[in-house]
Amino acid sequence: PVDTLWIESMNSVLDDSKLLCLDNGVRIKLPDTVRMMFEVMDLSVASPATTSRCGMVFMNPEELGWMPPCTTWMNAELAPYISPEGRTLLDELFLLIQKGLDFLRKECKMMVQTVEANLTASLCDLFLALVKSHEIDLINQDPTIVAETIKLVFAFSYVWSIGGNVNQASQEKFDNYAREALESCAFFPPFGMVFDFQMDLAARKFIPWEQSVPDYKYIPEEPFFQILVPTIDTVRYSYIIKTLVQVRKPCLLNGVSGTGKSVIMNAALFDSVDDLNLQIIGLQFSAQTSSARTQESLEAKLKVK
C-alpha cells in the first residue's frame, strides 16, 4: 500500500521541478532523464494530489497472468540472442511452465511465498544469464545443436527457478515431477535428484555437480572463520550466484539458519570482485533491525558530493 507520509514527500519529485527534498534538508535536483515508477498494492490512502501527478495503470495479476511479461522478455531482451526457429521452440517449452506452477501450489511447500510472475521472471533471467555468461550461440549453429542446447538450458533454468524455492521435504516430490515433465527436453541421469546435475554444454547433457568440486587445499594463514571447504552445495550455489551477478541480476539465497548462506554468498562475490568490478557492502539484519537503522547503515556507506 501507499504510505501517506512517504508519498507526500515525493510530490515535489513528481512535479515538473523534479526536486527531491530529504529529511535532513538536502535538496536534490533530478535530471530530465529520470522517471519515477511506483508499483503498489492499492491506492486506498493515496491523496488526490499524488494521484493527479501520476499516470495510474492497474492490472489484476489474476487477469494478466504470467505469459505477457514472458512474451515481452522474449521480444525485447532475448530476441538478439536466438534464431526465429529457436524462439518457436522456446514458445513450445514455455507451455510446460503452467503445469509446473500448478504442481508447485498443490504438492509442494516453499521456503518463501512467491507469485507466479516472480517464478517465471526468475526462469527468464536465469535462461538469459546462462546464454550471456557462456556466450551460447543460438543463431549461427546447426539447427539441431541449437534445439538441443535450448532444451538443456531451459530444463536447467526450469529446475532452479520453478523448483529452486521448495523446501527440503518437497524436493523429492518436485524431482519426480520434473523428470516426467521435462522428459521431452532433457535426460536426467537415473540417480540423485534434478538439483544434483549441471549442464555440459559441449555434450549437451546433464552431468553430476561432483565433477566440478575442486580439491580442498589447506592454507595455514587463513583465519578459521574464513575457511570454506568445497562441496556440491557450495559449487552449485556459487555457480548460480556468479551467473546471475555477471549479467547484473539479483540473487537471493534462502534456507534455515546455520546452513552457510552468508558464507557461500560472500565467497562467490569476493571471487568475482576483479572480474566483474564489484564493490561489496555487507549489511547485517536481525528480527530487531528497524527501518531507521537500515537507512543509517546504507547512508554510512555513501559519500556526500
Side-chain angles (χ1 to χ4, degrees), residues 2-15 17-24 26-28 30 36 38 47 49-50 53:
V2 177
D3 181 85
T4 54
L5 299 178
W6 178 82
I7 198 64
E8 286 300 324
S9 64
M10 296 293 293
N11 283 343
S12 60
V13 179
L14 302 177
D15 286 335
S17 61
K18 290 187 178 179
L19 194 63
L20 176 61
C21 302
L22 303 180
D23 293 337
N24 59 3
V26 176
R27 299 161 69 89
I28 302 176
L30 300 182
M36 306 294 293
F38 302 94
S47 67
T50 301
R53 286 176 167 86

Side-chain angles (χ1 to χ4, degrees), residues 105 109-115 118 165:
R105 302 301 180 194
K109 292 184 178 180
M110 292 174 286
M111 299 291 297
V112 177
Q113 292 302 313
T114 58
V115 295
N118 172 253
N165 189 36

Side-chain angles (χ1 to χ4, degrees), residues 17-62:
S17 61
K18 290 187 178 179
L19 194 63
L20 176 61
C21 302
L22 303 180
D23 293 337
N24 59 3
V26 176
R27 299 161 69 89
I28 302 176
K29 172 68 175 178
L30 300 182
D32 293 336
T33 54
V34 175
R35 295 292 184 271
M36 306 294 293
M37 178 178 291
F38 302 94
E39 184 175 352
V40 299
M41 183 171 60
D42 56 54
L43 299 174
S44 59
V45 295
S47 67
T50 301
T51 306
S52 63
R53 286 176 167 86
C54 298
M56 301 293 176
V57 179
F58 176 76
M59 296 183 181
N60 189 337
E62 296 178 356

